[in-house]
Amino acid sequence: MSNPTATDEDRARTCEAMLGSIQIYGNAGDLAMADRFYGSICDTYMRFSTESPLRDTLARSAVAMAHFHGRNGDLDEADEFIDDLRALCAENPDEESLGDLLADALSTQAIHHAQRDEFEKVNEIFCELQVLAGQFPTDVFVQEQFALTAYNLSVGLHAARAADEMYTLYCELLALSARVPLSAGIRSSLGKLMFNLSSLQLYERLEAAQELCVQSRTLAQSHPTEPDLRMQAALSASNLATRLSSLGRLQDALRFYEELVEWTERHPDDTHLREQRVRTARNILVTSDAGWDAETGWRLYRDAASAVATDPENASLREFVGESAHAIWIDAVMRDDVGKAELAYLQLAGLANQYPADASLRGYVDKIRLLRQSRPA
């Protein structure tokens, strides 16, 4: 880099090559060598700082170094590279490309802190991204990273049971999604945050949880090509149906269960939806206070059992069916419906024979067999 005859293009190409070396050594885990190349790029930029291509290469190198050190668990080291990005942004406050890079580095750093349960740090980054989002209100990428960090912050607020603070985040993302309606990334973060908030409200403000569940479903139905929204809405509906059945509100629980049935019929290839549908049927059946009648219970069991035929390699579905059959068998015996109890047992035993390596299914068959043997003749 000390060649006095080097042109601007020469320096730009050389720095790009060093950025490539940073990627190679960083991915290989040799951060010391990556650091050396980064230092060389910094030296070149300090000597020829008026050249914008060098500035952009330095910024991208800083993001790469922050990611590598963050991935390695060296978050303080990562912060030093993010400081370099902050300085570049301060020198060039109108450059959206630099804002994008800073937002990328900050949101990734927030994820690392969230994985360590360091949510005070996440909150600091959220506040910084909030300012950055205001600085670049039309930059979709910056807004998406802000939304993603809001979701990561909500994880900590959920653990602290800070429902009011979570609701404030929810309102902010709801408004942001309305302002940037074409961003699937913002909607994804909104959907996940809504699920976090509704799962917290299940035990504190049940009616609010129901309203959030309805809104989550509406969001997912408005964007049918975004399966992650369906996943969050299905989880919310499943958890709400489970909670309502535990409170003895069976009809309300079945209403949300029927929504899952309708969804799986509309999206027959969505494995996650099918799994949540069967999980919910199982949860209602094994809830002792649900108060389901024999007809409803048998319908839920048959619904769960039929799902296995559509996804025979899904071990979770088979386990749900085993639990459901166990619950139905006990209920049928208590109602003195020996025929239905025996039918549930034989069907479960047949399913276990189809999957001899499935220890969970075999376990439920053995449980029922012991109960059958203990009954008086």
Side-chain angles (χ1 to χ4, degrees):
M1 299 303 296
S2 60
N3 182 358
T5 64
T7 65
D8 293 349
E9 291 78 8
D10 292 335
R11 285 188 288 271
R13 283 195 296 269
T14 301
C15 286
E16 279 294 324
M18 288 193 290
L19 173 55
S21 296
I22 287 174
Q23 297 286 358
I24 292 171
Y25 284 106
N27 284 319
D30 189 346
L31 297 189
M33 186 62 74
D35 283 342
R36 288 179 59 185
F37 282 105
Y38 179 77
S40 295
I41 295 174
C42 287
D43 290 343
T44 304
Y45 175 74
M46 293 300 293
R47 294 176 60 196
F48 305 97
S49 58
T50 59
E51 299 174 14
S52 61
L54 294 183
R55 180 197 64 203
D56 295 341
T57 302
L58 174 60
R60 287 184 285 122
S61 301
V63 172
M65 293 303 300
H67 284 180
F68 288 134
H69 279 282
R71 188 176 67 185
N72 201 46
D74 306 323
L75 300 192
D76 290 339
E77 295 281 346
D79 273 332
E80 293 182 10
F81 296 101
I82 295 175
D83 282 341
D84 289 349
L85 276 171
R86 292 185 178 106
L88 288 172
C89 285
E91 293 169 2
N92 306 272
D94 298 325
E95 284 290 337
E96 283 194 356
S97 61
L98 294 179
D100 287 350
L101 292 169
L102 179 57
D104 183 12
L106 287 171
S107 65
T108 302
Q109 188 79 331
I111 291 172
H112 292 315
H113 282 299
Q115 291 169 343
R116 294 182 173 191
D117 293 334
E118 296 171 348
F119 287 102
E120 288 186 7
K121 289 285 190 181
V122 177
N123 186 55
E124 291 175 9
I125 293 173
F126 169 77
C127 292
E128 185 173 356
L129 277 167
Q130 194 170 37
V131 173
L132 194 65
Q135 184 178 346
F136 299 104
T138 61
D139 188 323
V140 174
F141 183 80
V142 171
Q143 307 302 321
E144 288 177 339
Q145 301 314 301
F146 167 67
L148 175 60
T149 304
Y151 159 67
N152 283 315
L153 179 58
S154 79
V155 175
L157 295 174
H158 184 280
R161 308 197 71 76
D164 290 341
E165 289 85 347
M166 284 185 69
Y167 185 76
T168 299
L169 283 181
Y170 159 68
C171 291
E172 189 154 3
L173 286 201
L174 193 65
L176 178 60
S177 182
R179 289 200 306 273
V180 193
L182 298 181
S183 172
I186 293 174
R187 281 193 297 275
S188 177
S189 295
L190 173 61
K192 290 185 287 187
L193 195 152
M194 289 170 71
F195 170 72
N196 278 353
L197 180 56
S198 67
S199 65
L200 179 60
Q201 301 285 38
L202 282 176
Y203 298 92
E204 298 182 6
R205 302 171 186 169
L206 186 58
E207 298 307 314
Q210 289 183 260
E211 179 60 28
L212 282 165
C213 186
V214 171
Q215 292 177 10
S216 182
R217 180 194 65 210
T218 301
L219 181 66
Q221 290 178 337
S222 300
H223 303 279
T225 61
E226 297 173 25
D228 59 325
L229 295 181
R230 283 202 304 274
M231 179 178 72
Q232 301 304 326
L235 281 169
S236 293
S238 179
N239 287 350
L240 183 57
T242 300
R243 177 61 175 158
L244 289 167
S245 67
S246 72
L247 296 173
R249 294 172 56 177
L250 178 63
Q251 293 307 313
D252 289 332
L254 289 175
R255 178 164 58 88
F256 286 98
Y257 171 74
E258 293 298 340
E259 289 180 4
L260 288 171
V261 172
E262 180 184 341
W263 268 18
T264 53
E265 292 173 350
R266 194 180 307 160
H267 303 280
D269 297 328
D270 192 322
T271 302
H272 178 79
L273 271 181
R274 183 164 52 247
E275 195 165 304
Q276 291 308 311
R277 170 183 174 177
V278 178
R279 171 179 175 263
T280 306
R282 181 278 310 266
N283 288 349
I284 295 174
L285 286 171
V286 301
T287 301
S288 59
D289 296 328
W292 41 268
D293 55 46
E295 181 179 351
T296 299
W298 187 255
R299 181 171 66 87
L300 290 170
Y301 162 66
R302 292 298 303 150
D303 190 15
S306 64
V308 174
T310 64
D311 194 1
E313 301 307 315
N314 191 320
S316 295
L317 291 184
R318 296 198 298 269
E319 182 175 2
F320 292 156
V321 169
E323 291 180 86
S324 300
H326 184 252
I328 280 292
W329 189 90
I330 292 175
D331 179 74
V333 169
M334 293 178 65
R335 297 178 191 274
D336 204 26
D337 191 342
V338 178
K340 187 164 287 185
E342 195 66 10
L343 180 57
Y345 168 71
L346 292 174
Q347 288 178 345
L348 182 62
L351 185 62
N353 288 335
Q354 292 179 45
Y355 300 93
D358 192 321
S360 175
L361 274 182
R362 180 57 56 189
Y364 284 110
V365 170
D366 291 342
K367 284 181 181 179
I368 296 177
R369 181 182 294 118
L370 288 175
L371 291 171
R372 289 170 77 237
Q373 293 171 352
S374 66
R375 291 184 63 228

